[in-house]
Amino acid sequence: MADTQTVETEPEKKQRSVRVVLLALMITMMLAMLDNMIVGTAMPTIVGELGGLEHLSWVVTAYTLATAAATPLWGKLGDMYGRKGVFMTSIVLFLIGSALSGMAQDMGQLIGFRAVQGLGAGGLMVGVMAIIGDLIPPRERGKYQGMMAGVMALAMIGGPLVGGTITDNWGWRWSFYINLPLGVVALGLISVVLHLPAKRAQARIDYLGAALLTVGITSIVLVTTWGGTEYAWTSARIMELIGIGVAALVGFVFWQTKAAEPVVPLHIFRSRNFTLMSIIGFITGFVMFGATLFLPLYQQSVQGASATNSGLLLLPMLGAMLVTSMVAGRVTTNSGRYYVFPVLGSVLMVVGLYLLSTMDTGTSRFTSGVFMAVVGLGMGCLMQITMLVAQNSVEMKDMGVASSSTTLFRTLGSSFGVAIMGALFNHRVQDTMAERGGALGSKVTEQSAQLDAKSLEKLPDAVREAYQYAVSAGTHSAFLLGSIVAVVSLLAAVFVKEVPLKGAGPQKSADDAAPAPLVEV
C-alpha cells in the first residue's frame, strides 16, 4: 500500500518542482523585460542629477549592444557546459551590473555599468527558453511559453508605471536596485530546485567566431541606432560601419564551416522550419517594437492622451497579445498542431498594421484601440510559437543555440524596425511640417520630429494642428511599411511544415514520451 502511494505522489512532486522552476524563470523573464521599460521612465531624472545629456542615448545603446552581442554566446555556452551554471552566471552578472548602475556617480560610469548589465541580460531570455526546452516536452511547451509571452506583455504594460512610481517615491537609483531582491529569489529557487546534468565540452570555445559575430552584430545595431539621427544614412561613418559589419558577418559564416565547436552551427539552418521561424521572428520584432514606439506618440500628440500612463495606451494590443499567446499555447498542447498559428498570426498582423496606417487626426481612441487589438492578436499567435517550432526543429544538443539564434533574430528585427520606421516617420513629419507649418513649422521639427507635451503646449494653434496632421501622416507611412514587411512573414508561414510535437498530450505513445523533467525537490 505504501509503495502504491509513493508511485502516485511522485508525478505530483515532480509537477510541483516544475512549477517552482517556472516561477523562477518567470521572475527572470520579468527582469529582462522590465529593465529598459523602467529605466526609460527614469531617464529625465537621471540626466537631471548626473548631467551628460549629450550621452543620454548611450545609456540605452550600451545595454542593447551588449545584450545583442552576448545572446548567441550564452546559448552556445549553455550547450557546451550545462544550462544551469551558465544561466545562473548570467543572472549574477546582470545583478552586478544593476547594483553598479544604481551606484553610478556620472554618466560615463552609468553607460559602462549598463553594458555590464546588458552582457548578463543576453543570457536571461535565452536561458529561460532553453531551460523550458530541456524540461518540458515539445507537445506541452506551447502552454508554458504562452505564459512567458504573458509575462512579456505585462512587463511592457506595467514597466513605465512601475518606473514612474519608483522614481517619484524612492529615487532613480531604485530603478536598478529593484532587480536585486527579485534576482536573488530567482537564483535561490533555481539553485535549490533545478537539477540539470553538468556538461564539459572537450572542444575549446570558438573565440574567433565569437569575436567576428560580436563585431558584426555591434556594427548592425550601431547602424540602425545612429543612422538618420547621429549621422546621415549616407555619411562616411555609417558606410564604414556597414562595411565592417558585412565583412565581419561574411567572415563569421565562413569560419563557422571550419570551427570545431562553432558558436552558431550552420547545420541548424538546414531545417526549413528553423529558417522560416528565424525570418518570422525577425519580422515580429520589426513590427512589435516599431508599433510600441509610434502608437504612444500618436495617441499623445494627436489624440491628446496623457504621457504619464503611456504603458496603458498599449493595453488593447498587449492585452490581446497576452490572451492569444495563452490560448495558442493551450491549443498546441492539447492538439499537438500549430501550423494555423503562424499563418493566422501573420494575416492578422498584416491587416492590423494596414488598419493602423489609416488613422488620421479624427480617429477615435476606441477605433485605434480596436486596430491595436488586431495587431496584438496577430503577435500573440506568433510570439512563442516561433520559439516552440524552432526548438522542435533541432536536436537536444543544439537547444541553446536554437533559442539564442531565434532571440537574436527578433532583437535584430526590433533594431531594424525602430530605425527604418523611425527614419520614414521623421522624414514624413518634417516634410509635412515644412509644407503645412511654413518656416516656423520647419524650425519646430528641425532638431527632432518627436515633441514632448510641454513643447506642444507652447506652439501656436495653427502650428500645433499642423504638427498633429504631420504625426498622423508619419504614422501612416510607418505602419503602411510595417504592413508590407509583415507580408514576408505570411509568405514564410505558408511554407512551414507541421512536424508532430513529441511527448505529452492525451495520445502520447511510449516512443514519443520525453524524459521526465530533471528537477528535484
Side-chain angles (χ1 to χ4, degrees):
M1 188 72 174
D3 290 340
T4 304
Q5 188 172 1
T6 304
V7 171
E8 289 175 346
T9 58
E10 190 63 25
E12 294 176 6
K13 293 171 79 175
K14 287 181 177 177
Q15 188 64 30
R16 186 171 66 252
S17 300
V18 170
R19 284 198 292 266
V20 174
V21 172
L22 286 171
L23 174 62
L25 297 181
M26 290 173 74
I27 292 172
T28 309
M29 177 74 82
M30 185 72 76
L31 287 176
M33 291 301 301
L34 268 180
D35 190 76
N36 261 341
M37 300 288 176
I38 292 178
V39 173
T41 310
M43 280 313 299
T45 307
I46 294 174
V47 171
E49 181 173 327
L50 298 184
L53 179 62
E54 67 276 14
H55 303 305
L56 174 64
S57 63
W58 272 105
V59 176
V60 175
T61 302
Y63 181 90
T64 305
L65 278 176
T67 300
T71 292
L73 304 182
W74 286 114
K76 184 61 181 178
L77 289 172
D79 286 341
M80 292 176 68
Y81 299 108
R83 202 84 62 211
K84 179 177 177 178
V86 170
F87 182 52
M88 292 179 68
T89 301
S90 71
I91 296 176
V92 170
L93 188 58
F94 179 82
L95 295 181
I96 290 172
S98 297
L100 292 174
S101 296
M103 293 186 285
Q105 299 302 307
D106 57 50
M107 193 60 80
Q109 289 183 10
L110 180 60
I111 291 168
F113 296 150
R114 284 282 284 166
V116 174
Q117 194 183 18
L119 288 174
L124 299 186
M125 191 87 71
V126 173
V128 168
M129 293 305 174
I131 289 173
I132 289 177
D134 279 348
L135 291 180
I136 311 296
R139 179 72 178 272
E140 294 236 344
R141 209 174 289 158
K143 177 173 62 177
Y144 295 106
Q145 290 183 343
M147 292 166 58
M148 294 301 166
V151 171
M152 293 171 66
L154 286 174
M156 295 178 77
I157 294 169
L161 297 175
V162 173
T165 302
I166 289 174
T167 304
D168 291 342
N169 293 285
W170 299 346
W172 67 266
R173 296 183 185 278
W174 276 96
S175 298
F176 300 103
Y177 293 150
I178 194 68
N179 294 329
L180 302 181
L182 293 173
V184 168
V185 170
L187 276 175
L189 292 175
I190 290 167
S191 64
V192 171
V193 180
L194 179 64
H195 181 66
L196 295 172
K199 302 178 185 177
R200 183 68 193 176
Q202 298 300 316
R204 295 177 58 190
I205 296 173
D206 178 15
Y207 292 106
L208 178 57
L212 288 170
L213 183 60
T214 300
V215 170
I217 292 173
T218 300
S219 299
I220 290 173
V221 175
L222 284 177
V223 166
T224 56
T225 304
W226 284 349
T229 53
E230 298 286 327
Y231 303 97
W233 284 104
T234 55
S235 67
R237 179 59 56 86
I238 296 298
M239 292 297 108
E240 288 169 3
L241 285 171
I242 291 174
I244 293 170
V246 170
L249 292 178
V250 170
F252 169 76
V253 171
F254 173 77
W255 177 248
Q256 294 306 279
T257 64
K258 308 291 184 185
E261 193 68 50
V263 176
V264 180
L266 299 184
H267 65 79
I268 62 176
F269 291 98
R270 293 175 191 158
S271 165
R272 182 172 75 181
N273 275 4
F274 182 84
T275 301
L276 292 173
M277 287 303 123
S278 297
I279 294 170
I280 294 172
F282 181 92
I283 302 299
T284 304
F286 188 106
V287 167
M288 184 173 74
F289 285 90
T292 54
L293 176 65
F294 295 111
L295 281 170
L297 179 62
Y298 169 83
Q299 291 188 301
Q300 291 170 36
S301 301
V302 179
Q303 296 181 327
S306 167
T308 305
N309 298 324
S310 56
L312 297 178
L313 301 176
L314 298 173
L315 190 57
M317 182 178 75
L318 297 175
M321 186 176 84
L322 188 156
V323 172
T324 314
S325 63
M326 302 282 280
V327 170
R330 287 283 180 180
V331 171
T332 302
T333 295
N334 292 334
S335 68
R337 308 186 73 85
Y338 54 80
Y339 177 81
V340 65
F341 293 113
V343 175
L344 178 61
S346 298
V347 169
L348 288 170
M349 205 157 61
V350 171
V351 172
L353 287 164
Y354 176 75
L355 291 173
L356 288 176
S357 76
T358 65
M359 296 189 304
D360 55 28
T361 54
T363 304
S364 68
R365 291 192 192 181
F366 175 79
T367 302
S368 60
V370 172
F371 295 168
M372 282 190 280
V374 176
V375 176
L377 291 172
M379 290 194 296
C381 289
L382 295 172
M383 281 295 292
Q384 299 307 317
I385 292 297
T386 52
M387 181 66 74
L388 170 64
V389 178
Q391 290 180 338
N392 196 54
S393 304
V394 301
E395 297 178 41
M396 206 65 182
K397 66 183 179 66
D398 293 322
M399 186 67 68
V401 291
S403 303
S404 63
S405 298
T406 307
T407 304
L408 177 62
F409 277 107
R410 188 179 297 167
T411 302
L412 293 178
S414 68
S415 294
F416 276 91
V418 169
I420 296 173
M421 292 173 76
L424 188 61
F425 172 86
N426 291 340
H427 182 71
R428 186 71 186 275
V429 168
Q430 288 169 346
D431 282 355
T432 306
M433 284 296 285
E435 179 185 327
R436 297 178 69 95
L440 181 57
S442 296
K443 188 174 181 181
V444 164
T445 56
E446 191 174 38
Q447 298 298 320
S448 174
Q450 301 178 29
L451 303 181
D452 57 26
K454 290 182 180 178
S455 301
L456 275 175
E457 290 173 4
K458 296 175 184 176
L459 296 178
D461 290 344
V463 178
R464 189 186 307 115
E465 289 176 9
Y467 181 71
Q468 290 174 337
Y469 182 88
V471 168
S472 66
T475 51
H476 164 77
S477 298
F479 288 128
L480 188 60
L481 172 67
S483 180
I484 294 169
V485 170
V487 172
V488 177
S489 175
L490 177 58
L491 293 174
V494 168
F495 290 100
V496 170
K497 181 181 179 182
E498 191 167 64
V499 179
L501 300 175
K502 296 188 179 74
Q507 317 228 328
K508 178 177 66 176
S509 69
D511 293 335
D512 287 335
L518 297 166
V519 291
E520 62 184 8
V521 181

